[in-house]
Amino acid sequence: MAEISKTSVKSKGYLGALALIGVLLGLYWGLLHAPPDAYQGEVQRIMYLHIPSILTAYLSFFLVFVGSCLYLWKREKRDDILAYSAAEIGALFTALTIVEGSIWGKPTWGVWWTWDARLTLTAILLLIFAGYLMLRSLTDDENRAASAAAVLGIIGFLDIPLIHMSVYWWRTLHQPPSILRPDKAPWDNVHPAMLTALAINFVGFVLLYFYLLSRRFRLGEINEEIKARLLNRNN
Amino acid sequence: MGAWGFVFLAYGIVWCAILIYWLTLKRRLRRAETELAQLRASQESQKNVQT
């Protein structure tokens, strides 16, 4: 058991170190190496944060969806811990996406915020997962809270295709996607130096995400063991 | 504010927020590990007394 624990700590240490390298490389590429955009100038560098942040948030809510479905099906605590951990970090990355978009929007659109379909749906996504986290902390009956949160987690994930397609379905101020376009490959649409900066930042964000998720998951496991031991002692 | 001002504002907020979350998570984890270790130790000592 001690050996497994040591290996796990070591692998998390490696993951943390890899995430740090990825993030530093991303900062170098995004701030210093990539050229400024022909139309937007230097402000476009915010995209090297904005796009990886929202893609990481999507990944996180996909894990919430998977964890929630598995929990409702099998009722295993590990699936619930995965969903809860992913929801917490996903909410953070969604909030950061909105902040980055707002800072980019001021010099580009002339406003910090507008009730554009994509922006509004992203704000709704954040509210759903803020509700998810509040639901976990407000209810005393843990199994009921986990089940209700799992249903909310599944509903929340359904907002993501709406966010992605909103720029096609409605007339929005937000431009169509540059990377996840159905009609064009990213390399046909984005300058190679900018695409490289974006890819490095995305890898850095994903590594950082899995590092944070592994720590948050461990916290969930420990809290469960504490609750089980306290329950055992009281009985 | 100039273009670089907006860029540094965005990068500053994002990395500060992530750093604060990481430090908070680290503190929560350390506290939970300490609590679990104390609980295990007290349950072990109780078992030893009973045997």
Side-chain angles (χ1 to χ4, degrees):
Chain A
M1 189 71 182
E3 274 305 307
I4 294 170
S5 175
K6 261 184 197 171
T7 316
S8 164
V9 168
K10 224 176 183 180
S11 64
K12 272 162 196 159
Y14 287 136
L15 187 60
L18 272 176
L20 184 65
I21 293 168
V23 160
L24 291 175
L25 272 175
L27 280 172
Y28 168 73
W29 235 270
L31 289 174
L32 302 171
H33 197 272
D37 185 80
Y39 296 104
Q40 296 174 32
E42 307 293 354
V43 173
Q44 182 270 340
R45 293 180 194 279
I46 295 173
M47 289 301 115
Y48 302 130
L49 288 178
H50 188 63
I51 298 169
S53 296
I54 193 63
L55 292 180
T56 309
Y58 286 176
L59 170 71
S60 200
F61 295 134
F62 173 68
L63 291 179
V64 175
F65 176 77
V66 172
S68 299
C69 288
L70 286 173
Y71 178 72
L72 290 177
W73 180 28
K74 293 182 174 174
R75 298 279 164 188
E76 280 187 19
K77 205 67 203 168
R78 280 178 68 91
D79 299 323
D80 179 50
I81 297 172
L82 172 70
Y84 192 5
S85 307
E88 189 177 292
I89 307 171
L92 171 72
F93 278 95
T94 310
L96 291 177
T97 302
I98 293 173
V99 171
E100 294 148 7
S102 178
I103 296 170
W104 174 85
K106 181 63 182 165
T108 314
W109 294 342
V111 286
W112 293 102
W113 178 263
T114 177
W115 293 102
D116 167 275
R118 182 171 264 195
L119 272 67
T120 308
L121 286 167
T122 309
I124 289 171
L125 184 73
L126 179 62
L127 287 176
I128 290 172
F129 283 97
Y132 178 103
L133 297 175
M134 280 170 72
L135 192 65
R136 305 302 304 242
S137 55
L138 289 178
T139 317
D140 284 336
D141 184 343
E142 284 204 7
N143 290 332
R144 240 180 103 189
S147 299
V151 173
L152 193 59
I154 292 167
I155 295 169
F157 179 71
L158 300 179
D159 189 33
I160 290 175
L162 288 180
I163 294 174
H164 190 70
M165 297 309 290
S166 60
V167 287
Y168 296 111
W169 292 344
W170 293 287
R171 190 187 298 178
T172 61
L173 187 58
H174 197 290
Q175 68 272 32
S178 307
I179 305 298
L180 301 174
R181 273 178 81 134
D183 58 329
K184 260 186 184 177
W187 46 90
D188 292 333
N189 203 35
V190 183
H191 188 280
M194 290 174 165
L195 198 61
T196 309
L198 210 49
I200 291 170
N201 275 285
F202 177 62
V203 171
F205 266 69
V206 169
L207 288 170
L208 176 68
Y209 171 73
F210 279 110
Y211 170 71
L212 290 175
L213 185 69
S214 70
R215 307 314 294 150
R216 180 61 187 78
F217 186 82
R218 179 77 193 119
L219 176 65
E221 279 183 327
I222 292 174
N223 283 338
E224 279 308 311
E225 193 179 336
I226 290 171
K227 277 179 214 156
R229 280 178 182 267
L230 285 174
L231 200 69
N232 214 11
R233 191 172 70 177
N234 295 339
N235 289 339
Chain B
M1 199 190 309
W4 278 107
F6 285 105
V7 173
F8 287 126
L9 180 66
Y11 277 75
I13 290 175
V14 166
W15 291 114
C16 276
I18 290 174
L19 189 68
I20 290 169
Y21 178 73
W22 176 63
L23 290 173
T24 312
L25 188 58
K26 217 173 147 182
R27 203 187 58 203
R28 284 159 75 193
L29 196 54
R30 199 181 306 140
R31 206 178 283 170
E33 276 169 347
T34 310
E35 195 183 337
L36 180 62
Q38 283 170 349
L39 203 58
R40 274 178 182 163
S42 78
Q43 285 180 337
E44 280 302 311
S45 65
Q46 268 179 358
K47 251 187 208 170
N48 289 341
V49 169
Q50 280 170 0
T51 53

